[in-house]
Amino acid sequence: NAGVTQTPKFQVLKTGQSMTLQCAQDMNHEYMSWYRQDPGMGLRLIHYSVGAGITDQGEVPNGYNVSRSTTEDFPLRLLSAAPSQTSVYFCASSSRDRSQPQHFGDGTRLSIL
Amino acid sequence: GENVEQHPSTLSVQEGDSAVIKCTYSDSASNYFPWYKQELGKGPQLIIDIRSNVGEKKDQRIAVTLNKTAKHFSLHITETQPEDSAVYFCAANSMEYGNKLVFGAGTILRVKS
């Protein structure tokens, strides 16, 4: 059982480049989300989706886009990378029930030069 | 919106001793409080959670207590072992952003052998 799979694990970009971080889950979860983790700031919600075809913004959405064409996949796109987007990005999934646990992937470590 | 504060930020204990990490939350509507353990290079892994209809939950050496009136909850690890060394995050769910989790800033636990 793979759970939540994120690719790539590491990436270095130049300022202005674009890229897509991939996230896939095999638990048939309706709810998926993207967080970024920065030192001393815990995890902050970027975007989330409550089901295929439905996405919405979280706390820190600027500079990122998402789509949810299938239940399994929830890619995160950086439109024009900036040094402030250097971070570790985590994808998570859960059932739609608010009191069910979220399952996290192992993260993508992204550096913007 | 929900705000979660976590203390201490670092904690060093001798192997075999107990460790306690405390969190407070602000939103009385929150009803789900998970604890995550994050090892180096990995994503957060759920270790225990508690819902607002119970005051305490145990799982072997780990326990969580919840005081809804005071809006605080705590993680207790007994008989600590070197493999307990990691970063621990508390979280609370929020009515904002679907099934959003609001995380504390994390506690670095070091168990000295």
Side-chain angles (χ1 to χ4, degrees), chain B residues 48-113:
Chain B
I48 195 167
D49 57 13
I50 191 167
R51 291 169 177 77
S52 58
N53 58 346
V54 298
E56 184 176 6
K57 183 177 178 180
K58 290 184 180 179
D59 183 1
Q60 299 183 355
R61 296 186 297 108
I62 294 173
V64 58
T65 59
L66 172 66
N67 184 326
K68 287 181 60 181
T69 303
K71 296 198 188 74
H72 65 71
F73 56 114
S74 300
L75 177 71
H76 304 254
I77 305 174
T78 59
E79 301 174 13
T80 54
Q81 301 168 3
E83 51 265 38
D84 294 329
S85 296
V87 181
Y88 291 81
F89 292 96
C90 63
N93 65 350
S94 171
M95 292 296 290
E96 291 180 298
Y97 309 123
N99 190 14
K100 174 187 175 182
L101 285 178
V102 180
F103 287 85
T107 296
I108 300 171
L109 174 63
R110 297 190 183 94
V111 180
K112 297 174 287 187
S113 57

Side-chain angles (χ1 to χ4, degrees), chain A residues 77-97:
Chain A
R77 297 183 186 86
L78 278 70
L79 309 173
S80 177
S84 61
Q85 294 178 304
T86 293
S87 188
V88 183
Y89 291 85
F90 289 100
C91 178
S93 75
S94 71
S95 71
R96 198 178 294 198
D97 185 338

Side-chain angles (χ1 to χ4, degrees), chain A residues 31 35 37 40-43 45 48 50 57-59 90 94-107 109, chain B residues 29-32 36 38 40-46 49 51 89 93-101 103-106:
Chain A
Y31 185 88
Y35 294 86
Q37 184 177 36
M41 301 185 73
L43 291 97
L45 184 67
Y48 69 99
V50 298
Q57 297 180 349
E59 298 172 90
F90 289 100
S94 71
S95 71
R96 198 178 294 198
D97 185 338
R98 297 178 59 233
S99 64
Q100 291 302 308
Q102 293 196 21
H103 301 265
F104 285 81
D106 281 339
R109 284 143 188 86
Chain B
S30 294
N31 63 359
Y32 175 66
Y36 287 85
Q38 187 176 24
L40 197 61
K42 296 289 188 180
Q45 298 293 315
L46 179 74
D49 57 13
R51 291 169 177 77
F89 292 96
N93 65 350
S94 171
M95 292 296 290
E96 291 180 298
Y97 309 123
N99 190 14
K100 174 187 175 182
L101 285 178
F103 287 85

Side-chain angles (χ1 to χ4, degrees), chain A residues 3-5 22-30 32 51-52 67-75 91 93:
Chain A
V4 178
T5 302
Q22 302 291 343
C23 175
Q25 53 93 7
D26 61 0
M27 297 172 281
N28 201 32
H29 284 160
E30 303 99 324
M32 296 186 74
S67 60
R68 185 95 179 269
S69 56
T70 67
T71 299
E72 295 79 19
D73 300 299
F74 190 44
C91 178
S93 75

